[in-house]
Amino acid sequence: MREFRLTSTHKIILVVLALVFWNLATLLMHLWEEHWWLGLSGDLVLVVVLADLVGREIPARYETLYERALAIGFPILLLVAWELIVRAEYLSPRWFPPPTRILAALWDLTVSYDRFNETSLFGRPWLVPQALVNGGWESAWRLFTESHVLTTLVRVFAGFFLGTVPGILLGMIMGMNRTVRAMLDTAMSAVYVLPKIAIFPIMMLIFPNPFGEGPKIAVVAISAFFLVAINTMVGVRDIDPVYIQAGRNYGANRWQLFRHVILPGALPVIFAGLRLALGTALIVIVAIEFVRAKKGVGFLTFYYWEVLLTDKMYAGLLVIMGLGVLLTQGLQWVQRKVMPWQR
């Protein structure tokens, strides 16, 4: 007797049928009104299983295209589900406005100008040509300085570079020198676990202007410093001793050993630390802008929470997420340029 086995096509058809049956069953039992999360969870699980099964059947030459479609399509699917659930009033549109309203609020924030605070979200770049004609570069630059996004980015980049450069240097020294590592490892482990936002009051005591940019940038720099230093130290220590010994056998001096063996060997872990540090820098500065700032995306988001304009509050969160994606993509671009052998 011939043994029956489920092919991939059979499995895909079964999952599609399960998806249809699940939605019909939840609708007939009126589960969506009270337990919408249960219906949505079941749908998401089945969609993930379906995407996985379909992905196994995709020809190798289309795999990259399929993965990009999933990376874009799945978030869009989540947004559509959010829109439908709110439109059906399973969720309160006051506290969870639908994505279309959030996009409309984002557009409103983009084109509007706050005359009281003299700020705008992106700095109104479409007015730059007119500003150049009327007032020159100074007038054009004034447009960008009113930007909440630019203010946040300047704080992130300033703190990131001030923290990561000494972090990489110290991590290299700790990785290569046992004495320095023994002296600093315990102290760094103790300070690292402190919530970085808790350091902010100390920075406000240290800097002459506690409400200026210094304390904010210093906290971001400290946050980035420990992550990068620890990752760099681990990256250096994890280099296979065989490579170092081979370099010595070929007559490499200390500088050549560092340049051609230790640094390239540690770079993947260093960039992993840089990625963590960049994300943490954005998180920390947004948290600080929540509590002590008059400009910045975090300030804008928290302000609209205070006045209960939730669609604009979500628009601010959307901008923060967009910044996170752009910063990560930018760092990955740098990584591909610095480490072409890993493409």
Side-chain angles (χ1 to χ4, degrees):
M1 184 177 177
R2 186 178 178 184
E3 185 181 358
F4 177 76
R5 287 186 179 179
L6 285 175
T7 64
S8 297
T9 306
H10 291 144
K11 292 177 182 177
I12 291 172
I13 293 172
L14 284 176
V15 174
V16 171
L17 290 175
L19 191 61
V20 173
F21 175 78
W22 171 254
N23 282 281
L24 285 175
T26 49
L27 282 172
L28 291 174
M29 290 188 290
H30 303 287
L31 283 176
W32 281 93
E33 288 84 350
E34 296 295 332
H35 305 288
W36 60 268
W37 54 270
L38 183 62
L40 183 62
S41 301
D43 280 341
L44 290 179
V45 169
L46 289 170
V47 166
V48 170
V49 174
L50 182 62
D52 184 56
L53 290 173
V54 173
R56 295 177 189 177
E57 299 302 309
I58 296 292
R61 63 180 182 276
Y62 295 124
E63 280 184 356
T64 304
L65 184 64
Y66 181 68
E67 289 174 358
R68 288 179 182 171
L70 284 181
I72 297 172
F74 192 69
I76 292 176
L77 184 65
L78 291 177
L79 291 175
V80 170
W82 182 356
E83 181 84 22
L84 293 176
I85 287 171
V86 177
R87 294 287 178 189
E89 298 188 349
Y90 298 149
L91 271 176
S92 168
R94 180 177 177 79
W95 308 123
F96 302 97
T100 49
R101 262 182 56 192
I102 295 173
L103 289 176
L106 179 61
W107 174 253
D108 185 42
L109 283 175
T110 302
V111 299
S112 62
Y113 173 68
D114 187 339
R115 295 186 181 279
F116 181 73
N117 290 322
E118 297 182 341
T119 57
S120 63
L121 184 58
F122 293 107
R124 299 182 294 170
W126 57 90
L127 294 180
V128 170
Q130 182 184 348
L132 283 173
V133 172
N134 295 333
W137 285 104
E138 185 180 351
S139 179
W141 178 245
R142 199 176 301 122
L143 285 172
F144 287 107
T145 57
E146 72 185 33
S147 167
H148 290 286
V149 171
L150 184 66
T151 303
T152 298
L153 285 177
V154 167
R155 290 167 179 160
V156 168
F157 283 128
F160 179 73
F161 285 111
L162 288 174
T164 53
V165 172
I168 291 174
L169 292 175
L170 184 63
M172 284 284 181
I173 294 170
M174 290 177 67
M176 293 186 291
N177 190 296
R178 182 182 296 178
T179 305
V180 177
R181 186 166 61 248
M183 291 170 65
L184 295 178
D185 198 18
T186 305
M188 287 187 65
S189 300
V191 180
Y192 169 70
V193 297
L194 279 176
K196 302 305 174 288
I197 193 68
I199 302 174
F200 186 54
I202 302 174
M203 295 297 111
M204 292 180 72
L205 292 174
I206 293 173
F207 280 81
N209 181 6
F211 306 109
E213 296 299 312
K216 302 180 183 69
I217 293 173
V219 175
V220 174
I222 292 170
S223 306
F225 170 80
F226 286 103
L227 284 169
V228 173
I230 292 171
N231 270 272
T232 304
M233 179 187 70
V234 172
V236 173
R237 291 194 64 191
D238 283 350
I239 295 173
D240 196 331
V242 172
Y243 296 127
I244 297 175
Q245 190 59 44
R248 286 173 179 160
N249 291 341
Y250 279 103
N253 56 34
R254 288 189 176 184
W255 167 246
Q256 290 170 330
L257 206 60
F258 172 79
R259 182 182 174 189
H260 297 292
V261 179
I262 296 175
L263 185 59
L267 272 179
V269 185
I270 292 175
F271 268 98
L274 289 174
R275 184 172 176 176
L276 286 173
L278 193 56
T280 304
L282 183 60
I283 293 169
V284 168
I285 199 60
V286 168
I288 291 173
E289 288 174 351
F290 275 2
V291 297
R292 185 60 67 184
K294 293 183 179 178
K295 195 192 286 186
V297 183
F299 160 77
L300 194 71
T301 305
F302 194 74
Y303 169 75
Y304 285 117
W305 172 81
E306 288 181 311
V307 296
L308 290 181
L309 290 175
T310 52
D311 49 354
K312 291 188 176 180
M313 180 197 76
Y314 281 104
L317 294 175
L318 197 63
V319 173
I320 294 170
M321 289 189 288
L323 289 179
V325 172
L326 287 176
L327 291 175
T328 303
Q329 293 292 328
L331 187 61
Q332 287 177 342
W333 180 82
V334 174
Q335 183 175 0
R336 287 194 293 272
K337 294 295 180 185
V338 175
M339 301 167 55
W341 62 88
Q342 280 209 336
R343 289 178 185 174

